[in-house]
Amino acid sequence: MSQSEKSKSKSDLRDLRACIAEDFHKEGELQKYNMLFTGNPVPMAIIELPSRKFTEVNAAFLNRLQYKESGIIGKAIMDIGLFDDQEKQKKIADVLEKKGHIRNLDLKIRANTGEILNVIFSGEVFESQGKNFFSIVIMDVTEHKRNIKEIRSKTEQISRDKSKIETIIQSIGDGVFVVDNNLRIILINPVASQLSGYSEKEALNQKYSKILRFVLESDPQKENSDFITQTMDTGEIQSMPRHTMLISREGEKIPVADSVVPLKNKQGKIIGCVVVFRDATREREIDRMKSEFVSLASHQLKTPMTGIKWMSELMLREHLSDKQKEYMHDIHESTNRTIGLVDDLLNLSRMETGGQFNVVKKRIDLDKIFKEIIENNREFAEFKKVDIKYKKNSPKLILNIDRNKIKHALNNIFNNSIKYSRDDNGKVLADIRKKDNEILIKIKDNGIGIPTAQQKKIFEKFFRADNAQYDTIGTGLGLSISKSIIEAHGGQIWFESKKDSGAIFYVKLPLK
Amino acid sequence: MPKTILIIEDDNILQKVMKDALKTEGYSVIQAFDGGAGFKDITRVKPDLIILDLLMPLKPGEWVLKKMNEKGMMDKYPLIVLTVKNDAANTNNLANLNVKNHISKSEYSLEMLTERIKELI
């Protein structure tokens, strides 16, 4: 644009303002005009006809379309590449020709920077002082459209996710159901519905305990679904107890296994829980077969083991050289150890099948049992040079217990305390105290102790602490069996220990 | 006249060990290797004591015990039943068959077995 053109367009602008002001016929109307046009947050422009040149644009227009006033005033609207769509540009040109108007045309326009904006375009030809002008208003809906697009895409994503989760829950091979705070079923999948015998329609909004009745194999009369309420109370994942069964609508008992996960809202409040369970008939059957096999094999092993044991006993009565006696003694001892191991395996298989031992209680003097245990371990203690002390606070310690099992349980602990003693300077103290309704047995040693990090696992099957692994023989079954025996008697077992500073094992047994 | 002990046990080695140990103690020993033969021997020999194994093929110890119960022979003969199962179910079962003495083979030494016999006869 030349200098003269520029000054012309500026003088045109003054003319236009003057014209408009005159049109209003009032003083102060220029101020109103300024408010309506110049200060309007909506981009507006006025184009002179028939030249179609911009004669006036407001600040919002310059700002949104990234023009400077000097860069647009005097330019023809069709020359600056404002319209992205040729067809719509033609439509606008037609309007200009016919001196008509455009209302709310959905349009894409190009800013000075090349950015494409989504706008609603309105324009109207008007006459002032014998001249025609075209006023345009551009509503920028780019942001709005972007938001709508985003919302739409998010909504689609959510619905896709939702249908994905629904598909998973519906087609998963496990039974799944969800309960709310009031323990009412809010979701149940086809497997859960099939196992329970209730349709989704029948199950929804019902208390879960009406639909999904969980019991223990050992006591099918008593409902056992504490794992669900515990999850609600503690907010922690709970496993179904071993040997849980589901009683279906038809009264069929189906072995089931798995877990319960709490559902929490954003504030961490528990709002329900998800129960996942599977039909465990087959695995329970395999478990049973495995245990039966172990039991049968162990029993079959015992007869030949007894043969070796008794034969070596007879042999020891013969005239043997010292060396022969020593060897025969070793055979005898190894056989005893093997028999002990077979017994452990048997006990384990019993725990696996029945969940607990069958205990046959009789009135027994614990003092006698303990003296037998000490006697059985005396030789071992002498070999390890461990000093044994035994104290009690009552002459008789009569308890209602299964003699062999309690002896086995206490022997495991007592034997451990000698086994894990330091060579040469070991000390084991057994102390039995009778109190009002119970007996407390304390077995203390000054041995290698149990590393703190591993103390939680000490009663687990086959677990052996790091410092016990290499120097001593053991299967990691003893304490686990002892615990089961003691608990089957309604007792408790626990310990205190530090690595390298010995251990104290406590056993509490009820008197009756 | 030495006292006679009838051992009903299918395992050859255990039979041999018990026979040798008991003979050394001065007993006369009769051996039966299954329940059927054993039961016949009871009526034929009328032993002073019976040692009976439970786990035997064909006619197990339990069969012998049932027969003895039927014929009212349980109080006539001191009896020691040998078991490998020392669980509660087994103990109850033996109690129902009126067995007063049963020992778990693997937990007993020969010496303990002979002491038990001496207590009974």
Side-chain angles (χ1 to χ4, degrees), chain A residues 64-67 110-116:
Chain A
R64 192 67 198 97
L65 289 157
Q66 297 285 305
Y67 279 98
R110 189 179 289 112
N112 197 20
T113 50
E115 184 194 355
I116 302 289

Side-chain angles (χ1 to χ4, degrees), chain B residues 25-43:
Chain B
E25 297 288 331
Y27 297 109
S28 156
V29 175
I30 310 270
Q31 292 176 297
F33 288 82
D34 74 74
F39 184 70
K40 275 183 197 159
D41 283 344
I42 298 174
T43 43

Side-chain angles (χ1 to χ4, degrees), chain A residues 311-344:
Chain A
M311 199 63 92
S312 56
E313 200 184 322
L314 273 189
M315 194 72 155
L316 281 166
R317 294 179 189 170
E318 299 293 322
H319 297 287
L320 301 176
S321 73
D322 284 353
K323 213 55 188 169
Q324 284 169 330
K325 258 190 191 151
E326 189 190 321
Y327 292 153
M328 200 42 70
H329 189 80
D330 289 348
I331 291 176
H332 192 253
E333 268 317 292
S334 294
T335 314
N336 268 341
R337 274 229 314 270
T338 314
I339 290 171
L341 187 61
V342 170
D343 275 333
D344 275 355

Side-chain angles (χ1 to χ4, degrees), chain A residues 441-486:
Chain A
I441 303 151
K442 183 173 151 186
I443 299 172
K444 184 183 173 184
D445 67 66
N446 63 344
I448 58 174
I450 304 155
T452 315
Q454 302 186 336
Q455 293 189 353
K456 268 192 178 171
K457 291 189 166 181
I458 206 78
F459 292 113
E460 282 178 18
K461 273 179 287 188
F462 298 111
F463 177 79
R464 300 198 69 213
D466 286 345
N467 57 348
Q469 292 273 14
Y470 306 107
D471 300 340
T472 48
I473 301 166
T475 54
L477 287 174
L479 282 179
S480 139
I481 289 168
S482 293
K483 187 170 193 269
S484 301
I485 293 173
I486 287 156

Side-chain angles (χ1 to χ4, degrees), chain B residues 29-65:
Chain B
V29 175
I30 310 270
Q31 292 176 297
F33 288 82
D34 74 74
F39 184 70
K40 275 183 197 159
D41 283 344
I42 298 174
T43 43
R44 187 175 59 84
V45 180
K46 299 193 171 51
D48 295 295
L49 184 137
I50 303 162
I51 296 175
L52 174 67
D53 183 31
L54 276 189
L55 281 182
M56 285 186 291
L58 299 174
K59 293 190 168 121
E62 207 174 313
W63 178 85
V64 177
L65 291 171

